[in-house]
Each structure stands twice: as structure tokens, then as C-alpha cells.
Amino acid sequence: MNGRRTYLDHNATSPLRPEARAAAVSALDAIAGNPSSVHDEGRRARAIVETAREQVASLVNARPLEVVFTSGATEANAWVLGGGWNTIFRGGFEHDSVLAPAAASGARMIDVPVGTDGVARVETIAQHVFTGSGDFGRSLVALQLANNETGVIQPVAETAAFAVAHGLSCHTDAVQAAGRIRIDFNELGVDTLSLSAHKLGGLSGMGALIIRDGTRLASFLVGGGQERRRRAGTENVIGIAAFGAAAVAATRDVATAGRLSALRGRLERGVAAITPTAIIVGAEAPRLPNTSSVALPGGAAETLVIKFDLAGIAVSAGAACSSGKVGVSHVLTAMGLDQDIARGAIRVSLGWNTSEADVDAFLTAWHEMSMARVRAVA
Ligand code: PLP
């Protein structure tokens, strides 16, 4: 290892962008007051918050008044999923921050199946609504915009159109899609959409729930009247300032997403040339330009991740997980992939600071590992 690290785990956390860092530092220097105070110090803090609100709104083409700042996407998802639903439609491929509050909510749970291509079979929602038993009043469809492990993009606009036409609410977790593909809150037609700042190159512990004006959703926290009485607590002005700047930079990057898909193409072609048996999970479906789920049948993803780490390269085995547990990804399991494939899948995710040299460093390490495997078998 030459001391230089190659970071290819942007779906876990994207490193802080220089623009976000500068905004955080400048907010640190500038704020001396509470954004709710009427004096000059308070008004200056308020101006930082409201500028960032406009910047985050414009990332997803929402209105600033629809943006509610939260402590992250986990909070935003928990807020919506805990909204007192009778029935929740959700797929087993959703992030744990959707699955866990859904399970804890006491609502009737209806599974939206997913194909081996990673795309949700959303027609089952209509089948349930038209033929299923029970009351579909106050029901929610939760469908992520793109998957954090495979990058597969889900048919959210079509699903939301059906849901809204039949009186169901629709939520999308857009954490991984934001800054990687164009998002238009109005075109998607969902009622709520969650975002996370650290996936965009902002600070962690910061996110937003975009709530369509007029949507019925109880306040997440009551107390002070912050965030138009929807989420009480003095705002995290530093995190919000960095989120706004990251959103501006990410909006710009969406326009040049071809750069990322070219790098990802280089990576996947290189992998196929070195190990023709490798499988790119979800390759046949529409995908984010930055994510590659590379599975080596018979391999052990955790071992590969450690070997890459020792070679100076950060990738991950499925979703990053705080408990450090070793297990097969619930996303790949929900897709019905062979356990032999699912166990050997690593996630490589590129981002704003990824270069060709990073991709080549990955391929060099992949080549060395595959040669070592060949030697071990011989
Ligand atoms: N949703 C998805 C799809 C994610 O990938 C993540 C983070 O891993 C989250 C939600 C949670 O975001 P946060 O870390 O801001 O709570």
C-alpha cells in the first residue's frame, strides 16, 4: 500500500465537498444567534437556513416551504412510516430505516415483490387494491427511488400516480438518487420524499423531508414552533448551511452524470475482462450512474472488503451496517438471488471526487485478488 487511499463507498457516505465545508465554516464564523430570534444575530442565522432551504428545494424541484430539515433520512423515513397508517405497501428491498419503522408501526404490511432484476413489481399494489380485502383508507405506499446496494431505479412516478388516484399516500426514499439523477418532486407526484445530506457531500446527522403542501402528516416533534410547527427544535444551522451548498454542487453534478457512468462502465468492463464469471447485479434494469453491485459466485464479500481495505481501497459488502454483523444482504435476498451470488456481492459506489485512477486502482487490486485465487486453487 502506498499510503494513498481510494474511496469507492459514496453510497455509505460521500466525503464532504469543499463547497459544503466552506459553507459550514462560514456559518460557524457568522452565526451568533438563534434563527428564531428577531434581532440582527438571529436574522443572520435565519438567512442562512432559508438560503439553504431554497437550495435543497431546487435540488428536487420542490417549493422551499415544502422542505423540512431533519436529523437525517432515518428520521425523515421514520416520520412518514410512523404516520398512523392502516396499511403500508413496501418491498423487502427498502432501507432498514423504512422497514423497521414500518414493522414497528402496527400497520397491516403488504409486500411489494421485486424481480431478480431489482425492479419492484408494483402491479401487485393495484391487484391488492382492486381484489384485496380490508380497508385501504389511510394507506401508504413506500417505494424508494433507487436502491442503495444495486442502484436500481424504481418506477416511482407510475406508482405514485396510481396511489394518488386511488386515495393512497406515496412516500419515496430518494436518498441515493439525489445528486445522481434528476429528481422532480412534482413529476414524481409523491406526497413525501426523504433526503440525506451526507450522501451528497454534506454533513451527516442532517437531512430533509419534502412534504407536499396540504399533505396530512402530524408534526414529528412538538415544542418550539420551528419548521412551520412540523419539527420542533433549534435548527442545526451549520449542518443546514453545508447541506444547501452540497445540494447546489450535487445539482450541478447531475448535469454531468455521464462522467460517473463512463467511470462505472470502465470498472464493469474491467471486472468482466478479469473475471468473466462475475455478475453485475441489476445490470439489466435502469440504474444510478455511480453504483455497481459486483458478485463473484462462491466468494465471500466480507473477505473481499477486508482485502480491498488492506490494498487501500474502501468498498462495502452490501449496505454499511453499524452493528458490523456478517450476513447476506436483505436486498439481494428480496431479489431472490442465489445465496451463493448474494454472499459474494460487493458494492462499489463512485462519487464527486472519483477519478479514472481510482477505478484503475480497484481493477489492479481485483486482478491481484483473482490471480491469488487462481494460485490457491492450483
Ligand atoms: N435511506 C437509504 C436508501 C440510505 O442508503 C440511507 C443511508 O444509508 C438512509 C436512508 C439513512 O440516511 P441517514 O444516514 O441520513 O439517516
Side-chain angles (χ1 to χ4, degrees):
M1 201 171 112
N2 60 10
R4 180 187 179 273
R5 297 279 304 171
T6 297
Y7 187 80
L8 298 175
D9 201 12
H10 285 256
N11 287 11
T13 284
S14 194
L16 190 63
R17 290 177 186 262
E19 300 90 335
R21 186 176 196 287
V25 169
S26 126
L28 267 173
D29 289 338
I31 52 163
N34 185 316
S36 296
S37 301
V38 292
H39 44 59
D40 180 66
E41 288 80 356
R43 286 199 310 273
R44 274 190 279 135
R46 169 61 51 205
I48 292 172
V49 170
E50 296 316 318
T51 299
R53 198 185 305 282
E54 283 168 20
Q55 292 166 329
V56 170
S58 105
L59 172 69
V60 294
N61 195 29
R63 293 197 284 159
L65 64 80
E66 294 173 316
V67 176
V68 182
F69 289 118
T70 64
S71 69
T74 297
E75 178 183 315
N77 286 336
W79 183 359
V80 177
L81 274 295
W85 309 103
N86 288 332
T87 303
I88 297 174
F89 289 90
R90 57 98 188 103
F93 49 86
E94 291 287 334
H95 191 263
D96 281 335
S97 61
V98 167
L99 294 177
S105 70
R108 172 170 62 140
M109 217 56 63
I110 298 185
D111 193 49
V112 180
V114 57
T116 50
D117 56 358
V119 181
R121 299 299 185 248
V122 291
E123 58 279 11
T124 55
I125 301 171
Q127 285 158 9
H128 276 285
V129 170
F130 293 138
T131 63
S133 56
D135 174 16
F136 286 97
R138 193 109 187 106
S139 294
L140 176 75
V141 178
L143 181 64
Q144 62 186 198
L145 193 45
N147 187 264
N148 45 306
E149 291 185 33
T150 61
V152 170
I153 298 169
Q154 302 296 343
V156 172
E158 299 88 301
T159 307
F162 174 85
V164 170
H166 293 84
L168 286 71
S169 278
C170 193
H171 170 66
T172 193
D173 173 340
V175 164
Q176 296 293 348
R180 291 164 188 155
I181 54 172
R182 194 179 77 85
I183 298 180
D184 187 314
F185 184 56
N186 292 316
E187 280 174 17
L188 283 177
V190 292
D191 299 295
T192 49
L193 178 152
S194 48
L195 294 172
S196 171
H198 70 111
K199 311 286 183 176
L200 296 173
L203 292 167
S204 53
M206 190 67 236
L209 183 66
I210 316 295
I211 309 176
R212 188 170 302 288
D213 198 20
T215 298
R216 236 179 81 208
L217 189 65
S219 303
F220 184 68
L221 289 173
V222 290
Q226 291 90 350
E227 298 297 279
R228 304 177 79 230
R229 303 200 172 280
R230 292 172 294 189
R231 200 273 188 189
T234 303
E235 298 86 343
N236 171 2
V237 182
I238 313 296
I240 289 173
F243 190 9
V248 172
T251 307
R252 183 194 63 214
D253 282 1
V254 171
T256 56
R259 189 189 80 82
L260 280 185
S261 58
L263 288 173
R264 200 254 312 263
R266 181 183 182 91
L267 184 135
E268 293 184 346
R269 279 192 305 278
V271 165
I274 297 165
T275 43
T277 52
I279 292 165
I280 306 296
V281 178
E284 61 276 32
R287 277 187 301 160
L288 297 177
N290 78 314
T291 307
S292 190
S293 171
V294 184
L296 206 54
E302 290 78 18
T303 312
L304 280 177
V305 168
I306 292 165
K307 285 184 180 164
F308 271 113
D309 190 35
L310 292 173
I313 299 168
V315 294
S316 74
C321 128
S322 52
S323 62
K325 72 180 178 228
V326 175
V328 182
S329 136
H330 74 272
V331 172
L332 305 186
T333 302
M335 287 167 65
L337 291 189
D338 208 89
Q339 292 289 291
D340 199 37
I341 297 174
R343 240 183 264 285
I346 59 165
R347 176 184 71 185
V348 188
S349 49
L350 321 182
W352 64 269
N353 63 357
T354 306
S355 64
E356 248 178 37
D358 293 322
V359 170
D360 292 347
F362 173 89
L363 291 174
T364 302
W366 182 263
H367 184 255
E368 279 164 16
M369 283 175 217
S370 72
M371 292 314 286
R373 246 190 332 270
V374 170
R375 282 196 297 273
V377 172

